[in-house]
Amino acid sequence: MTSFHVPYAVPTVLLALAFFLKLPTFVRAWRDPEIRATTLLLFWATAALVVIIPVNIQRLNEMTGIPNFAAPWAYSFLTASCATGLTMIMRWREEPSERRRRRLRRIHAAYAATIVALWVTFVLADVPRTRIYDLDTYYATTPWMREHILLYLLAHLTSCLTAAYMLWKWFKEVGNPWLKTGIVFLQAGFALGLVFDVAKLTAVAARWCGVDWDWLSTKAAPPFALMEAVLAAIGFIVPQAGPALKRWGRDQSEYLRLRALSRAVRVLAPAAPARFGLWVPLDLRVLQRQQRIHDALRLLAPYFDAGLYRAVYAEAARTRPEAKARATAGAVALREAIDAYRAGTPARTTGQPSRVSTAVTDHLGAISVALHRPRSLDSIRRRVTSTESPKAHV
């Protein structure tokens, strides 16, 4: 029994994880219709999978004291996820307009009516025996329960066919690679959903004809439904999560690149240090680190030796590409400025406001990377010093 539940648990956990990862974004931007629709879709799909786990079907029936109460409960979540999926595709394909709003309202109304009809037919049906695995075929010929089963299957079939058709027509027009990837997952998911519907309907029709093909409903169909849920969820998430992950990777790279320079200027005292918690978004932590560095550079400006920067750059440019030569020169000059600041060396005073050259401020990431190689910086600093000493003597 337990092993039979594992296939249900895996997609349910994946969908639940996706839902909880999406939840903070929903809390921050719940007014965004796409984010709201994605979150609701994940919720409906997760809820449907949670309910159809056999042990949960039994628990829900026992808790309510109503035989087969889990059927309309699960089918309602499934129908709601179908409606949300269709409306999301329409939001992607069409620009906001009155025509689109009317179509969205019609879909919501049609599927809401379907959910109401599911509950009405269930109340009218006589289903005294609880069936966990074969409810669809066991009650396939029972008045009102027959209509109940057909309602949810036809609603699901209609959504899969409609969504697959819209995506097929739209695919060639899409240029965004993330959206294109999402469409591929969605097409695969809806194709599996169609297989699920065909298997279920075939088993039900066989019962009408007095033939026992229940295995199509109890054994063959469920895996396709589970895979459909996973692929469809991935398809809806990828177009939004993909760019977010790309931004996260870029921010993470920048945050790590600036770590050495941030540590180097930590000995200074920025005028207004900002403090963020561990749960603050990464982009804000990057902004914090950049701000601290720029605050420190303002303090270091009177100690920054532009002549040393030029000398180190000239020496480094002999053996290194221009970008690396500038990073090396900036790292050496900033280290000297930090040492001068810490030693209390009198700052240079001029009539002009002092500031660090843009040759440094525009390449902070590369300079920070160069600070990871202190021996190389010491070596080139010694070469510059040894070159300057004979010139000074002459």
Side-chain angles (χ1 to χ4, degrees):
M1 179 74 72
T2 302
S3 61
F4 185 76
H5 296 168
V6 170
Y8 291 86
V10 172
T12 303
V13 169
L14 291 176
L15 282 173
L17 179 62
F19 170 72
F20 284 112
L21 290 175
K22 192 70 177 176
L23 203 54
T25 305
F26 172 74
V27 172
R28 291 196 303 269
W30 64 272
R31 294 181 183 275
D32 187 319
E34 287 193 12
I35 292 176
R36 189 166 60 244
T38 306
T39 308
L40 286 174
L41 174 71
L42 291 173
F43 175 75
W44 301 138
T46 304
L49 287 181
V50 168
V51 174
I52 67 171
I53 295 175
V55 66
N56 289 339
I57 293 177
Q58 185 173 352
R59 287 172 180 169
L60 186 57
N61 291 334
E62 291 175 352
M63 285 173 56
T64 59
I66 303 174
N68 302 304
F69 179 85
W73 188 254
Y75 298 157
S76 296
F77 284 124
L78 178 63
T79 303
S81 67
C82 290
T84 310
L86 281 178
T87 56
M88 276 200 65
I89 294 172
M90 288 185 180
R91 291 183 189 279
W92 287 352
R93 289 181 70 232
E94 304 175 21
E95 295 294 329
S97 66
E98 184 57 35
R99 177 176 176 271
R100 191 186 78 169
R101 282 191 290 271
R102 285 197 303 268
R103 294 181 68 190
L104 294 179
R105 285 196 296 266
R106 288 171 188 165
I107 290 175
H108 288 145
Y111 278 86
T114 301
I115 293 173
V116 172
L118 283 171
W119 286 96
V120 171
T121 52
F122 178 76
V123 170
L124 294 175
D126 182 19
V127 285
R129 294 193 60 183
T130 298
R131 310 299 299 185
I132 295 178
Y133 300 105
D134 62 345
L135 179 139
D136 293 344
T137 51
Y138 186 84
Y139 288 112
T141 58
T142 303
W144 293 113
M145 196 61 184
R146 172 184 55 220
E147 288 76 12
H148 177 87
I149 295 165
L150 285 176
L151 267 174
Y152 97 84
L153 286 176
L154 292 178
H156 186 259
L157 178 67
T158 301
S159 70
C160 287
L161 285 173
T162 305
Y165 175 72
M166 288 193 299
L167 292 172
W168 178 74
K169 287 188 62 178
W170 187 40
F171 183 78
K172 294 181 180 180
E173 304 173 11
V174 176
N176 186 310
W178 292 108
L179 186 54
K180 213 162 187 120
T181 303
I183 292 175
V184 171
F185 278 105
L186 286 173
Q187 288 281 47
F190 291 131
L192 294 177
L194 290 173
V195 176
F196 165 82
D197 293 324
V198 170
K200 284 278 188 180
L201 288 170
T202 302
V204 170
R207 277 285 185 149
W208 295 345
C209 299
V211 181
D212 185 355
W213 285 359
D214 290 8
W215 63 271
L216 284 172
S217 177
T218 58
K219 300 293 185 181
F224 291 104
L226 297 176
M227 286 304 300
E228 177 206 0
V230 173
L231 291 177
I234 293 174
F236 283 119
I237 293 171
V238 163
Q240 297 180 40
L245 287 174
K246 187 177 180 180
R247 288 193 299 272
W248 182 88
R250 184 176 62 246
D251 290 341
Q252 183 68 27
S253 176
E254 182 67 11
Y255 188 73
L256 294 176
R257 275 164 57 87
L258 293 174
R259 181 169 59 183
L261 182 55
S262 177
R263 288 179 175 178
V265 300
R266 191 177 296 171
V267 296
L268 309 178
R275 295 186 178 276
F276 292 137
L278 294 175
W279 299 105
V280 170
L282 180 60
D283 57 343
L284 291 182
R285 296 207 301 272
V286 172
L287 182 63
Q288 175 202 37
R289 181 163 282 185
Q290 292 172 338
Q291 187 60 49
R292 285 179 174 174
I293 290 173
H294 282 286
D295 288 344
L297 291 181
R298 283 194 288 272
L299 294 177
L300 291 175
Y303 303 90
F304 185 80
D305 189 345
L308 175 62
Y309 174 87
R310 290 191 294 269
V312 174
Y313 171 73
E315 178 66 25
R318 297 179 182 178
T319 57
R320 305 180 187 186
E322 180 183 357
K324 288 189 175 181
R326 290 189 181 280
T328 301
V332 171
L334 283 181
R335 284 207 317 179
E336 292 290 325
I338 292 171
D339 291 343
Y341 178 91
R342 296 179 66 183
T345 304
R348 292 187 298 275
T349 56
T350 62
Q352 299 294 329
S354 58
R355 62 184 181 88
V356 176
S357 168
T358 55
V360 173
T361 57
D362 291 348
H363 301 88
L364 294 179
I367 290 172
S368 182
V369 172
L371 288 172
H372 281 292
R373 300 184 292 273
R375 292 183 180 179
S376 175
L377 299 181
D378 292 339
S379 174
I380 198 167
R381 178 71 177 91
R382 285 193 297 269
R383 290 202 303 272
V384 169
T385 302
S386 62
T387 303
E388 290 177 345
S389 296
K391 290 181 180 179
H393 178 73
V394 172

